[in-house]
Amino acid sequence: MKQTRILPLPDGLVGERVDTGVAKLMGLSRSRVADLAAAGDILVDGVAASKSDRLPAGAMLHIEWEHERPLQVEPIPVPELEIVHDEPSFVVVMKPVGVAAHPSVGWSGPTVLGALAAAGFRITTSGQPERQGIVHRLDVGTSGLMVVAKSETAYSVLKQAFRDRAVDKTYHAVVQGLMDPLSGTIDAPIGRHPGSSWKFAVVADGKPSITHYDTIEAFRRASLLEVKLETGRTHQIRVHTSAQGHPCVGDPLYGCDPKLAAALGLDRQWLHAVGLGFVHPLTGEYVSFTSNYPDDLQQALEALRRGVDY
């Protein structure tokens, strides 16, 4: 089945190579994008593009790819995926960047479920086969803690807990500039961006979305936030901070400064799920888990502390 996406080029991707820019925009691997370009399936302003072409300002992208077989979990090892906690009813993992939660249309890279399958984990829950055990997700470009249910009871209880907003989700994010006020709540509805099927925005008819934040540390050009989500919309933190004029550093889709990201050595948004807490689905006791920053985020943070300039 042929999949098609037509979308405008975000300002943050202007000047990028086609393979690099489209990979970031679509959540595909660079090799997959290169193959699409070689097949003539990527048009820039109506003209077939090669993988090494540079993306011009104001361009309209037309991207097509073939999806022929049903989605299924491919047991592909992900050495960087860390098992934080494991027991019969659920497993908590630290998802690395570049890994999706589960298989989806347009994604040919590794997944959390595929990594668990390759490691010998057995998931026995209801739901679509390619999403069994998934009770919440993180973006491909976001690292951090995820819980995956392994039993039907855990799946039902945890899924309901996420629906009821009874799960404590804590993120750290580095955003451009300084939030005003330094601590606060962003209460703004989020829905599909009117000009892009892959992007979200604050829109009047969107779903209720609430983000609480506190500034942990301020730098010359950016600041480190602790963020707690009351709701769990797609791209919620990225959309809300961008709408305030402070996009996540390294996030071209939502308007980051590409020069700052390059100076920090970042090729993804500085956003990490550092904490996860919930009531145990079997014992009823509260359990919580924490995660350290991955190396790329830690190094970027240290560069900000040193006062990196560009």
Side-chain angles (χ1 to χ4, degrees):
M1 180 173 62
K2 202 78 165 179
Q3 306 294 321
T4 302
R5 290 290 182 272
I6 301 174
L7 64 169
L9 179 72
D11 291 342
L13 293 180
V14 171
E16 293 269 19
R17 285 169 51 109
V18 166
D19 54 358
T20 301
V22 173
K24 290 179 180 179
L25 188 61
M26 301 287 289
L28 300 172
S29 67
R30 285 182 61 182
S31 60
R32 178 75 184 281
V33 174
D35 289 342
L36 293 177
D41 290 333
I42 298 178
L43 305 182
V44 178
D45 291 332
V47 179
S50 70
K51 67 178 183 180
S52 59
D53 287 347
R54 296 290 174 174
L55 293 166
M60 185 63 69
L61 306 180
H62 184 121
I63 305 162
E64 292 188 347
W65 69 94
E66 195 74 27
H67 182 71
E68 300 176 342
R69 61 180 180 175
L71 293 173
Q72 57 185 350
V73 175
E74 301 272 359
I76 300 173
V78 179
E80 299 83 6
L81 184 135
E82 176 189 350
I83 304 299
V84 176
H85 177 83
D86 179 36
E87 60 176 83
S89 59
F90 64 86
V91 57
V92 177
V93 304
M94 201 296 284
K95 185 191 84 67
V97 67
V99 177
H102 56 76
S104 62
V105 173
W107 176 252
S108 59
T111 65
V112 169
L113 290 185
L116 290 174
F121 285 81
R122 187 163 177 261
I123 309 294
T124 56
T125 66
S126 61
Q128 296 173 307
E130 75 276 8
R131 297 190 185 187
Q132 287 190 351
I134 296 294
V135 293
H136 71 125
R137 294 176 292 180
L138 294 177
D139 297 340
V140 171
T142 301
S143 54
L145 295 171
M146 275 186 62
V147 58
V148 179
K150 293 165 63 179
S151 70
E152 184 61 37
T153 298
Y155 179 76
S156 299
V157 173
L158 289 173
K159 200 163 184 64
Q160 190 61 48
F162 276 95
R163 286 197 196 100
D164 294 341
R165 305 178 186 177
V167 177
D168 295 322
K169 299 170 286 184
T170 304
Y171 296 76
H172 282 183
V174 172
V175 300
Q176 292 178 196
L178 196 61
M179 298 289 283
D180 183 16
L182 296 179
S183 297
T185 296
I186 304 170
D187 186 349
I190 292 176
R192 290 282 181 184
H193 192 285
S196 171
S197 60
W198 285 86
K199 189 175 178 181
F200 292 80
V202 171
V203 291
D205 59 348
K207 294 181 180 179
S209 307
I210 300 174
T211 301
H212 307 284
Y213 70 89
D214 290 292
T215 301
I216 301 173
E217 195 171 353
F219 315 105
R220 182 180 174 189
R221 299 184 182 276
S223 50
L224 175 64
L225 308 181
E226 180 167 282
V227 181
K228 294 192 176 182
L229 297 183
E230 192 168 317
T231 53
R233 308 304 175 204
T234 302
H235 297 182
Q236 180 171 323
I237 296 172
R238 300 163 65 190
V239 171
H240 271 172
T241 57
S242 178
Q244 298 296 309
H246 302 285
C248 289
V249 171
D251 189 2
L253 186 62
Y254 290 103
C256 79
D257 182 348
K259 292 182 179 178
L260 177 57
L264 297 174
L266 279 177
D267 57 8
R268 54 107 161 197
Q269 63 261 19
W270 205 115
L271 181 60
H272 185 68
V274 297
L276 189 63
F278 50 87
V279 173
H280 193 288
L282 299 184
T283 69
E285 297 179 357
Y286 184 82
V287 293
S288 61
F289 308 92
T290 59
S291 171
N292 295 325
Y293 302 148
D295 289 344
D296 62 334
L297 300 189
Q298 183 64 45
Q299 289 167 9
L301 193 60
E302 291 170 357
L304 284 169
R305 287 170 177 155
R306 292 194 303 268
V308 67
D309 210 340
Y310 58 92

